[in-house]
Amino acid sequence: MDYLQQLNEVQQQAVTCIDGPVLVIAGPGSGKTRVLTFRIAHLIESGVPPHQILALTFTNKAAREMKERIGAVVGDKARTLWAGTFHSIFARILRVEAEHIGYPSNFSIYDTTDTRSLLTRIIKQMNLDKNNYAVNAVRSRISSAKSNLITPKLYAQDQELLSIDKLQQRPALYKIYNRYVSQCKQAGAMDFDDLLYRMFELLQKNPENVLDKYRSRFKYLLVDEFQDTNFLQYAILKKLVKYEGSPQNICVVGDDAQSIYAFRGATIDNILNFQEEFPGLNTFKLEQNYRSTQSIVEAANQVIRQNSRQIQKKIWTDKADTSRIKLIKTLSDNEEGKRVADLIVEYKNRFHVPNHEIAVLYRTNAQSRVFEEYLRRYNISYKVFGGLSFYQRKEIKDLLAYFRVAVNPRDEEALLRIINYPKRGIGNSTVEVYTSYASEHGISIWESLLTNPANTRAKKSISMFIKMISDFGRKIKDLNAHEAAAMIAHRSGIADLIRKDNSIEGIARQENLTALLDGIKEFVDNDEVEAGDVIEDKSLATYLQNIALVTDMDESADNNDFVTLMSVHSSKGLEFDAVFLAGMEEKIFPSFQAMEEKDGIDEERRLFYVAITRARKLLTLSFANSRYRYGKVVYHQPSRFLTEISDDLMDSQITPRKPVEAVSRQSRLQGNFKQRQPKTRETISVPQDFVPAAPHEIAAGLKVRHLKFGEGKVLSVDGSNDSKVATIFFQGVHNPQRRIMLKFAKLQILD
DNA sequence: GGGGGCTATGGGGGG
DNA sequence: CATAGCCCCC
């Protein structure tokens, strides 16, 4: 057990205290991950079968790293260990148990976009004012209800919640909540909160005694970043370890000072009250910081001291100072971008800091743009994390939606996304008919399509659509994920549609689609390991389950040397030699929303604490007097947090005297130099001899003239009566082959 | 039914 | 500024 030699005394104690509840308070850079992994390694070395250990994290990356490091200590034995995010581990259990609680095992997972669009539809259906019922507000209200185990039924009886909603002009919120939950269930779909909520429900209802099954399965629980757990996550943990006769082998690791997810329901009370919940608790405090230099640790301590509620601890380091903290003041966000990039160049030259040891952090993802601009200009490679991830891109979501519908046709969000994409003549009004039929009869949209209640002219298109989807559903059972995906990409028409678009964006979309298919191929060919087991089933359904909870933070980013650009939130758990923290301004950091929330400033301050402690040696803070926000110039005061760090720790760099710009005061105030030209409508003059033909006269083979597109040849005519559509080939037009509704188009027949 | 252009609106962090 | 939703036209 020579690995114990690599630990300091407290770390050793935390690792070897195997039985009963354990709380590890781990300051930043105090070797938290090391303790967690060595503890698991130690459990295994002490004879605990790895499959009885469950380690829960918040990111896939943390879980993966943990497993790798455990593997390095104990070797192959580590493979059957269950380590993963709360969401992915529970999703996995729910796949097995879903039918006990009224879900299909192939349930879909709704992401935030799906949730938002479902809520938008519900609000519209209920004829509610979308200004009062802002989707995001509604969504977060529902999310927090779920995270506090308040069912729609309980919500409707809770006078306090109801009166808050009334006060906020949203008295019908409980009805929306109720409808949302039943629609999700109808669709066989779980949102992110459901993965926790339904897990709890399962353990609570305890069908076929699943509770015992999982209690005896997981004899040792470990939780990383415990300060970020919410009421619901904690409730599930307690279900698993707090019961009559339980050995209570739960070890939680966290730092109350780094709790930054209150907005998604995390409560610092979980860690503050852990002692009361588990009286036999052994607590260990890791206070030595092995990461940062003196002034960085000192600055962090000065900042966090301003918060009242916290566990007392003294974070210290024996690392000597190499450089003081820098403060850059600039006049504009643009200049901030330039100065940061300049300093990056300087650090690279002077201290030989490699790109991968440099990070630019900011409060909001929208701030990344200026840094991207200058880094690109300076030819420094960088990677932006957060924002729109690969799987959120339109073309990817479109194809994934086909996969989802093939696996689970009740998945309404996916179905609505593709029912008329690519265009197949099932327009809004038709879709409307079927959705309202579905909701009236309490069935899914897919079922209402099958019943085919309406005799619209889209009937034929619908039956073809049904045939296609059913066919996909049958075929994917016999094909592997890659074969299935390629078949669907082709037969759905998506591949063709995108191949036709040769614009720059179009080519990017083609590349993304190829990348998706390549990724699926990789999934099929390689041994993917999920929570301890090699995935044997390489079906499309399994693939979907695998990617539903992946974020771009999880992409393997090794062997590339780039500067990291990310939000402070995503930076938690990471460290860099040089950290730039940009936008240190009031209303940005702290954010203006937080300034109005109860305990908002404290949370922002913890966020600031997280940011500071990412740096090993070089920390640079910056702020701009003015910046563009939502297309307007705004002026901000320097962040209050800057005053919380004492002057002796900071070097202040005032902007060098401004190179005079020949910009009038007027235009500087207006901000935007590019005056937008109002677009004028294209006018078409009608030639004297133009005689439009009646729709029924148009037939294949005729030469025609169109007012806008000029001369063309009719290739075919389809549809009947009212809805005749001609496919016409026009010479020398951007998209020469066009489909034109004869009802509207004015065409002259030429001889 | 489909597409283009204009207008109104939101606006943070993430699994 | 980005995007959703609406209106208009063919």
Side-chain angles (χ1 to χ4, degrees), chain A residues 255-260 268 272 299-313 589-590 598-610 640-641 644:
Chain A
D255 179 5
D256 54 309
Q258 295 184 64
S259 161
I260 55 173
I268 176 170
L272 295 178
N301 281 337
Q302 287 176 1
V303 166
I304 204 66
R305 202 174 295 146
Q306 312 287 324
N307 278 7
S308 44
R309 270 181 95 207
Q310 54 190 302
I311 294 171
Q312 284 312 308
K313 54 188 166 304
F589 203 174
K598 181 170 174 288
D599 302 328
I601 295 295
D602 279 12
E603 169 131 333
E604 295 288 297
R605 189 176 284 112
R606 289 192 293 270
L607 193 54
F608 184 39
Y609 179 81
V610 167
R640 69 189 73 186
F641 295 145
E644 296 174 1

Side-chain angles (χ1 to χ4, degrees), chain A residues 212-465:
Chain A
D212 270 3
K213 175 172 159 191
Y214 290 103
R215 277 175 179 169
S216 56
R217 162 102 209 219
F218 303 124
K219 295 230 168 70
Y220 289 85
L221 250 71
L222 293 98
V223 185
D224 192 13
E225 308 278 13
F226 186 65
Q227 76 282 352
D228 291 332
T229 53
N230 62 27
F231 181 82
L232 174 52
Q233 285 162 322
Y234 195 21
I236 296 168
L237 293 173
K238 283 190 281 193
K239 273 268 178 234
L240 289 172
V241 293
K242 232 194 146 188
Y243 56 93
E244 190 68 34
S246 164
Q248 301 201 342
N249 292 325
I250 179 170
C251 169
V252 304
V253 183
D255 179 5
D256 54 309
Q258 295 184 64
S259 161
I260 55 173
Y261 285 105
F263 73 89
R264 63 178 197 215
T267 158
I268 176 170
D269 295 333
N270 289 353
I271 200 164
L272 295 178
N273 302 334
F274 197 69
Q275 169 93 52
E276 288 156 40
E277 201 73 57
F278 294 94
L281 184 68
N282 286 294
T283 302
F284 303 97
K285 285 186 193 175
L286 310 179
E287 297 177 305
Q288 181 175 0
N289 178 310
Y290 292 95
R291 178 185 299 158
S292 314
T293 59
Q294 196 71 50
S295 52
I296 291 170
V297 169
E298 181 53 26
N301 281 337
Q302 287 176 1
V303 166
I304 204 66
R305 202 174 295 146
Q306 312 287 324
N307 278 7
S308 44
R309 270 181 95 207
Q310 54 190 302
I311 294 171
Q312 284 312 308
K313 54 188 166 304
K314 179 73 192 146
I315 306 300
W316 61 279
T317 180
D318 59 11
K319 286 206 187 325
D321 257 350
T322 46
S323 158
R324 300 210 301 171
I325 298 167
K326 270 195 172 56
L327 177 62
I328 299 179
K329 306 175 187 180
T330 67
L331 294 173
S332 68
D333 53 349
N334 186 51
E335 193 192 339
E336 182 186 44
K338 182 175 188 319
R339 297 284 305 286
V340 165
D342 285 343
L343 205 51
I344 287 175
V345 172
E346 190 186 321
Y347 285 169
K348 285 167 67 73
N349 293 335
R350 242 172 77 187
F351 306 121
H352 305 288
V353 186
N355 289 341
H356 68 263
E357 280 299 344
I358 301 172
V360 181
L361 308 182
Y362 32 74
R363 179 63 181 80
T364 68
N365 284 313
Q367 285 164 258
S368 71
R369 216 202 69 238
V370 276
F371 304 106
E372 290 180 62
E373 258 170 40
Y374 280 99
L375 290 174
R376 196 176 311 133
R377 199 177 293 182
Y378 291 0
N379 231 347
I380 297 171
S381 72
Y382 64 86
K383 187 172 157 82
V384 185
F385 292 83
L388 208 60
S389 88
F390 180 75
Y391 296 103
Q392 311 264 43
R393 287 176 199 176
K394 187 190 171 314
E395 62 277 16
I396 302 299
K397 277 210 85 169
D398 289 337
L399 190 52
L400 290 178
Y402 271 97
F403 300 168
R404 280 164 59 180
V405 173
V407 171
N408 169 22
R410 280 158 59 195
D411 184 329
E412 318 246 288
E413 294 316 304
L415 183 79
L416 290 172
R417 194 177 177 96
I418 55 151
I419 190 163
N420 198 30
Y421 182 83
K423 300 275 148 65
R424 54 172 67 86
I426 309 177
N428 290 339
S429 36
T430 307
V431 171
E432 181 57 34
V433 170
Y434 286 88
T435 42
S436 50
Y437 183 86
S439 70
E440 273 163 37
H441 292 76
I443 56 174
S444 66
I445 297 174
W446 172 251
E447 285 165 317
S448 89
L449 290 176
L450 293 177
T451 344
N452 211 0
N455 198 9
T456 62
R457 68 177 177 217
K459 203 166 177 171
K460 203 173 153 201
S461 311
I462 288 173
S463 68
M464 277 169 67
F465 178 72

